[in-house]
Amino acid sequence: MTDAATLARRIAQGRGDEPADLVIRGAQLFDLVSGELVQTDIALCGDTIVGTYGRYDGKASFDASGLIAVPGFIDTHLHVESSLVTPLEFERCVLPHGVTTAICDPHEISNVLGAEGIRYFLECAEAMRMDLRVQLSSCVPATHLETAGAALEAADLTPFMDHPKVIGLAEFMNFPGVLHRDPGCLAKLEAFSHRHIDGHAPLVRGLDLNGYLSAGIRTDHETTTAEEAREKLAKGMAILIREGSVSKDLHALIPLISRDASPFLAFCTDDRNPLDIAEEGHLDYMIRTAIAHGADILATYRTASLSAARNFGLFDRGFIGPGKRADIVLVDDLAACRVQRVFAGGRLVEDALFAGRKPVAPAGLASVRSRKLAPEDFAVKAREGETPVIGVVPGRIITERLSMHLPARDGLALPDLDQDAVRVTVIERHGRNGGIASGFVHGFGMTHGAIASSVGHDSHNLCVVGVDEASMAAATNRLIETGGGFAVADGGKVTAELALPVAGLMSDQPFETVRHGLEGLRAAAKALGVVLAEPFLQVAFLTLPVIPHLKITDKGLVDVDRFDFV
């Protein structure tokens, strides 16, 4: 709530009765209503814009000559954990790219630590310079088919509901539970019926989509085709166009970005690592890519800011106008979206901005509780006939179910490099049951060695893909020693690693260090013959349930013709 004295100052500075705290001069304002470029001063009082379309005196000024002012970009759905850095490092990474608001779901850390993970994110959000909003994780655990580190019911979430950084309920991934009126799902939906509820509805169409939306769910970031998106838009669902490090839907959905449809669209990254951010960008990358492939410039910038804000009830931002939050991005070219300077809440984004932040102690530093493994733990029993094999699809988190005749020896199935079939093993790491399950995967192109990850959506058990058991054991055991992360091994020895000790998901180091670590990991994975552009995130998504091979019945999800693990 804003006090009367602050309101009075804003009014006085907006009317020109007293000098503004800061005046941005020389920029052209990109009008998100008309699409025109207008030469005007932009006057700020603290964290709020108080003047446009006029000349202002200021206590301080910033020369933006030759630049174009657009509203700060809003990432409407992401998991900060997938950036592999803590929230305070995440903002250092993305604020220079113009992302001034991010709406996150701490789903990953919540599946490891439960409510402790949500508390950690809220504490970080209060210390940050960008505005990090938190959606409360709706699906912990994400599935009964895997072992997670925690469980959150409606009663565990409602105490956080009124926190000033909380918007509502995060992506409701358990769409079968919604459609079949699971009591736990209904309890969460009822508790948040007066708040924003995010959706997660891949391939949900027709009457099932009607039922899903009838629960009060408003958005979807899992839409992968324009046809699917048009049905969802026609039924009132906002589409969050996603372009992450693995899931890349932007090109398929660019045809949607028009002036008519833009109020019902927004951009999101979902999962994007700092190496991709450094090489390509963040939402700035999505903006320039959409425009380069024919999207209307005005509609694209609306999607990145104004529409994103309104779809989440953030009516104080997304537009450069009096009374709005002073989130302003200065670019030198609209089509190229080259970000030159950024103001977040009226403060210029530079190194000094981050110096006075309150430190936040990391959470979950001892969350990997697996025992040390031996090579024989990775053996796979041979089957008669064909063996089920997971088929990785580059750029997608949805996998295929393949079947192959695999060689065997002494009753054990063996990799077949000619068919690109290598081993994959999941190890329970939360100290619950010590389970180990193994199978085979196609699509990595690996010819020797192994790669391992403690990032394993959504339950975040250890997952290792490899050719020989000794390398698989070496890579996995190194993760147990470091408290989580990524590791590459060859010939039974670790050749590259990146420690992620914060809940086994995030580094406690600067994002620059993580970026360089990922470069080394990519090179080491490539040396094993791996052909995937993002092998570690691909490993992370191998542990998702194989939803296309599950049947929905009146008793819930029933596994049909399952793999050795799903």
Side-chain angles (χ1 to χ4, degrees):
M1 182 177 293
T2 305
D3 59 64
T6 300
L7 290 173
R9 288 183 63 241
R10 290 177 184 171
I11 295 167
Q13 292 186 21
R15 293 190 73 240
D17 293 341
E18 62 180 63
D21 290 343
L22 175 68
V23 178
I24 300 174
R25 301 191 190 280
Q28 295 185 85
L29 187 155
F30 185 42
D31 186 338
L32 288 192
V33 176
S34 67
E36 296 177 352
L37 291 172
V38 181
Q39 195 81 36
T40 177
D41 287 348
I42 303 172
L44 311 184
C45 176
D47 62 359
T48 302
I49 300 166
V50 294
T52 56
Y53 291 86
R55 292 285 296 172
Y56 281 88
D57 294 325
K59 301 170 188 175
S61 64
F62 181 88
D63 184 5
S65 299
L67 301 177
I68 301 167
V70 298
F73 309 142
I74 301 173
D75 191 333
T76 55
H77 174 75
L78 80 156
H79 305 284
V80 172
E81 304 97 314
S82 293
S83 71
L84 309 178
V85 294
T86 62
L88 271 68
E89 279 302 303
F90 172 76
E91 71 168 346
R92 284 188 59 242
C93 188
V94 303
L95 259 176
H97 291 273
V99 182
T100 54
T101 300
I103 301 170
C104 78
D105 171 10
H107 171 86
E108 317 307 342
I109 196 170
S110 296
N111 267 282
V112 177
L113 303 178
E116 180 188 353
I118 294 177
R119 283 191 291 270
Y120 170 70
F121 262 64
L122 290 173
E123 187 177 354
C124 288
E126 291 178 318
M128 291 167 67
R129 301 311 191 211
M130 73 183 301
D131 192 9
L132 183 71
R133 295 301 179 101
V134 177
Q135 296 279 69
L136 299 176
S137 303
S138 66
C139 295
V140 179
T143 170
H144 69 283
L145 299 171
E146 234 190 326
T147 303
L152 293 176
E153 302 298 339
D156 300 306
L157 298 174
T158 51
F160 298 107
M161 184 184 293
D162 294 324
H163 190 284
K165 290 292 185 178
V166 168
I167 292 179
L169 196 61
E171 54 176 320
F172 219 99
M173 301 169 61
N174 188 2
F175 61 85
V178 174
L179 298 178
H180 289 272
R181 284 83 76 189
D182 173 81
C185 292
L186 293 181
K188 292 174 183 176
L189 293 167
E190 179 185 10
F192 286 84
S193 60
H194 61 299
R195 305 291 286 268
H196 182 99
I197 304 175
D198 267 337
H200 173 113
L203 308 179
V204 178
R205 308 284 297 273
L207 297 184
D208 282 346
L209 178 60
N210 292 350
Y212 188 71
L213 291 173
S214 295
I217 295 165
R218 304 181 188 178
T219 63
D220 183 61
H221 63 277
E222 292 287 345
T223 301
T224 56
T225 68
E227 179 189 11
E228 181 183 349
R230 290 189 180 101
E231 179 185 353
K232 289 174 175 176
L233 288 169
K235 293 180 176 180
M237 197 175 206
I239 298 298
L240 314 182
I241 300 173
R242 173 177 60 185
E243 186 76 3
S245 289
V246 171
S247 300
K248 299 178 183 292
D249 306 318
L250 176 61
H251 285 81
L253 301 181
I254 284 173
L256 299 175
I257 304 174
S258 66
R259 297 192 184 193
D260 289 339
S262 62
F264 311 100
L265 304 175
F267 288 134
C268 75
T269 57
D270 202 358
D271 302 285
R272 196 161 180 83
N273 69 51
L275 185 54
D276 286 346
I277 295 170
E279 293 176 347
E280 298 177 338
H282 202 260
L283 293 192
D284 54 333
Y285 168 77
M286 296 186 70
I287 292 167
R288 74 175 67 96
T289 301
I291 294 170
H293 288 79
D296 178 83
I297 291 178
L298 176 58
T300 302
Y301 277 93
R302 282 178 180 170
T303 299
S305 54
L306 180 61
S307 301
R310 291 187 172 182
N311 279 310
F312 282 83
L314 300 175
F315 299 111
D316 64 338
R317 68 197 66 193
F319 193 86
I320 299 178
K324 301 298 184 183
R325 178 178 159 93
D327 292 336
I328 300 168
V329 178
L330 299 173
V331 301
D332 62 8
D333 182 274
L334 286 176
C337 194
R338 286 189 296 265
V339 177
Q340 300 301 313
R341 303 308 293 265
V342 179
F343 289 85
R347 294 175 290 188
L348 181 66
V349 174
E350 53 189 349
D351 289 344
L353 179 64
F354 305 109
R357 296 178 303 176
K358 176 185 174 183
V360 179
L365 293 180
S367 65
V368 178
R369 302 184 178 95
S370 301
R371 64 173 175 83
K372 187 175 180 180
L373 296 160
E376 53 267 27
D377 289 321
F378 299 90
V380 184
K381 290 183 179 180
R383 293 178 177 229
E384 293 185 6
E386 293 189 328
T387 298
V389 176
I390 298 173
V392 169
V393 181
R396 301 284 298 276
I397 62 174
I398 297 175
T399 56
E400 297 176 331
R401 187 189 194 284
L402 308 176
S403 295
M404 297 181 182
H405 287 283
L406 297 179
R409 183 173 59 244
D410 299 329
L412 300 177
L414 301 175
D416 188 339
L417 301 186
D418 290 337
Q419 297 187 80
D420 187 15
V422 298
R423 307 173 195 270
V424 56
T425 296
V426 177
I427 304 103
E428 191 273 322
R429 64 107 153 177
H430 304 291
R432 300 257 171 166
N433 55 38
I436 299 176
S438 295
F440 289 88
V441 63
H442 165 85
F444 277 82
M446 186 181 297
T447 58
H448 52 101
I451 61 177
S453 171
S454 63
V455 180
H457 299 282
D458 289 300
S459 297
H460 299 291
N461 291 302
L462 304 179
C463 184
V464 56
V465 172
V467 176
D468 68 279
E469 298 101 317
S471 294
M472 295 176 77
T476 304
N477 288 333
R478 184 56 183 157
L479 298 188
I480 295 170
E481 293 170 1
T482 61
F486 301 132
V488 178
D490 194 14
K493 296 182 179 180
V494 174
T495 58
E497 64 179 72
L498 175 65
L500 303 175
V502 182
L505 301 171
M506 293 170 282
S507 172
D508 56 359
Q509 298 299 307
F511 77 85
E512 295 93 343
T513 302
V514 175
R515 183 181 72 208
H516 294 315
L518 288 172
E519 291 172 342
L521 284 165
R522 279 188 182 179
K526 188 175 181 180
L528 303 181
V530 174
V531 296
L532 295 170
E534 291 293 342
F536 297 95
L537 282 179
Q538 209 82 57
V539 169
F541 282 108
L542 277 179
T543 56
L544 283 171
V546 189
I547 294 295
H549 305 295
L550 298 176
K551 181 178 180 182
I552 303 173
T553 72
D554 57 359
K555 296 181 180 180
L557 282 173
V558 176
D559 190 14
V560 178
D561 195 16
R562 67 178 292 164
F563 290 105
D564 288 330
F565 66 89
V566 293

PDB file of all heavy atoms in Angstrom, residues 482-493:
ATOM      1  N   THR A 482      29.333 -34.433  -4.502  1.00  0.00           N
ATOM      2  CA  THR A 482      29.243 -32.969  -4.612  1.00  0.00           C
ATOM      3  C   THR A 482      27.902 -32.415  -4.180  1.00  0.00           C
ATOM      4  O   THR A 482      27.710 -31.196  -4.166  1.00  0.00           O
ATOM      5  CB  THR A 482      29.518 -32.521  -6.058  1.00  0.00           C
ATOM      6  OG1 THR A 482      28.524 -33.105  -6.935  1.00  0.00           O
ATOM      7  CG2 THR A 482      30.901 -32.933  -6.514  1.00  0.00           C
ATOM      8  N   GLY A 483      26.960 -33.284  -3.824  1.00  0.00           N
ATOM      9  CA  GLY A 483      25.634 -32.805  -3.435  1.00  0.00           C
ATOM     10  C   GLY A 483      24.752 -32.504  -4.614  1.00  0.00           C
ATOM     11  O   GLY A 483      23.759 -31.787  -4.490  1.00  0.00           O
ATOM     12  N   GLY A 484      25.094 -33.065  -5.768  1.00  0.00           N
ATOM     13  CA  GLY A 484      24.272 -32.886  -6.961  1.00  0.00           C
ATOM     14  C   GLY A 484      24.988 -32.116  -8.046  1.00  0.00           C
ATOM     15  O   GLY A 484      26.034 -31.505  -7.815  1.00  0.00           O
ATOM     16  N   GLY A 485      24.397 -32.161  -9.244  1.00  0.00           N
ATOM     17  CA  GLY A 485      24.957 -31.436 -10.375  1.00  0.00           C
ATOM     18  C   GLY A 485      24.957 -32.269 -11.627  1.00  0.00           C
ATOM     19  O   GLY A 485      24.102 -33.142 -11.825  1.00  0.00           O
ATOM     20  N   PHE A 486      25.947 -32.022 -12.497  1.00  0.00           N
ATOM     21  CA  PHE A 486      26.147 -32.766 -13.734  1.00  0.00           C
ATOM     22  C   PHE A 486      27.560 -33.329 -13.719  1.00  0.00           C
ATOM     23  O   PHE A 486      28.490 -32.692 -13.200  1.00  0.00           O
ATOM     24  CB  PHE A 486      25.999 -31.878 -14.961  1.00  0.00           C
ATOM     25  CG  PHE A 486      24.665 -31.200 -15.099  1.00  0.00           C
ATOM     26  CD1 PHE A 486      24.594 -29.847 -15.380  1.00  0.00           C
ATOM     27  CD2 PHE A 486      23.488 -31.906 -14.956  1.00  0.00           C
ATOM     28  CE1 PHE A 486      23.379 -29.211 -15.511  1.00  0.00           C
ATOM     29  CE2 PHE A 486      22.259 -31.281 -15.079  1.00  0.00           C
ATOM     30  CZ  PHE A 486      22.194 -29.928 -15.365  1.00  0.00           C
ATOM     31  N   ALA A 487      27.742 -34.503 -14.337  1.00  0.00           N
ATOM     32  CA  ALA A 487      29.074 -35.084 -14.441  1.00  0.00           C
ATOM     33  C   ALA A 487      29.179 -35.891 -15.723  1.00  0.00           C
ATOM     34  O   ALA A 487      28.205 -36.498 -16.177  1.00  0.00           O
ATOM     35  CB  ALA A 487      29.387 -35.972 -13.235  1.00  0.00           C
ATOM     36  N   VAL A 488      30.363 -35.888 -16.299  1.00  0.00           N
ATOM     37  CA  VAL A 488      30.703 -36.701 -17.460  1.00  0.00           C
ATOM     38  C   VAL A 488      31.840 -37.615 -17.058  1.00  0.00           C
ATOM     39  O   VAL A 488      32.785 -37.175 -16.385  1.00  0.00           O
ATOM     40  CB  VAL A 488      31.131 -35.827 -18.661  1.00  0.00           C
ATOM     41  CG1 VAL A 488      31.520 -36.701 -19.852  1.00  0.00           C
ATOM     42  CG2 VAL A 488      30.031 -34.860 -19.041  1.00  0.00           C
ATOM     43  N   ALA A 489      31.758 -38.889 -17.446  1.00  0.00           N
ATOM     44  CA  ALA A 489      32.826 -39.831 -17.151  1.00  0.00           C
ATOM     45  C   ALA A 489      33.151 -40.641 -18.392  1.00  0.00           C
ATOM     46  O   ALA A 489      32.275 -40.890 -19.232  1.00  0.00           O
ATOM     47  CB  ALA A 489      32.432 -40.758 -16.004  1.00  0.00           C
ATOM     48  N   ASP A 490      34.395 -41.053 -18.502  1.00  0.00           N
ATOM     49  CA  ASP A 490      34.844 -41.877 -19.614  1.00  0.00           C
ATOM     50  C   ASP A 490      35.923 -42.811 -19.091  1.00  0.00           C
ATOM     51  O   ASP A 490      36.795 -42.389 -18.325  1.00  0.00           O
ATOM     52  CB  ASP A 490      35.395 -41.000 -20.740  1.00  0.00           C
ATOM     53  CG  ASP A 490      35.564 -41.760 -22.042  1.00  0.00           C
ATOM     54  OD1 ASP A 490      35.019 -42.876 -22.150  1.00  0.00           O
ATOM     55  OD2 ASP A 490      36.230 -41.236 -22.964  1.00  0.00           O
ATOM     56  N   GLY A 491      35.827 -44.068 -19.471  1.00  0.00           N
ATOM     57  CA  GLY A 491      36.795 -45.032 -18.983  1.00  0.00           C
ATOM     58  C   GLY A 491      36.775 -45.181 -17.476  1.00  0.00           C
ATOM     59  O   GLY A 491      37.803 -45.489 -16.856  1.00  0.00           O
ATOM     60  N   GLY A 492      35.627 -44.948 -16.874  1.00  0.00           N
ATOM     61  CA  GLY A 492      35.491 -45.081 -15.431  1.00  0.00           C
ATOM     62  C   GLY A 492      36.020 -43.915 -14.636  1.00  0.00           C
ATOM     63  O   GLY A 492      36.095 -43.985 -13.409  1.00  0.00           O
ATOM     64  N   LYS A 493      36.381 -42.803 -15.307  1.00  0.00           N
ATOM     65  CA  LYS A 493      36.896 -41.620 -14.619  1.00  0.00           C
ATOM     66  C   LYS A 493      36.122 -40.376 -15.020  1.00  0.00           C
ATOM     67  O   LYS A 493      35.744 -40.229 -16.194  1.00  0.00           O
ATOM     68  CB  LYS A 493      38.384 -41.438 -14.939  1.00  0.00           C
ATOM     69  CG  LYS A 493      39.266 -42.567 -14.434  1.00  0.00           C
ATOM     70  CD  LYS A 493      40.735 -42.295 -14.739  1.00  0.00           C
ATOM     71  CE  LYS A 493      41.625 -43.426 -14.205  1.00  0.00           C
ATOM     72  NZ  LYS A 493      43.067 -43.182 -14.502  1.00  0.00           N
TER      73      LYS A 493
END
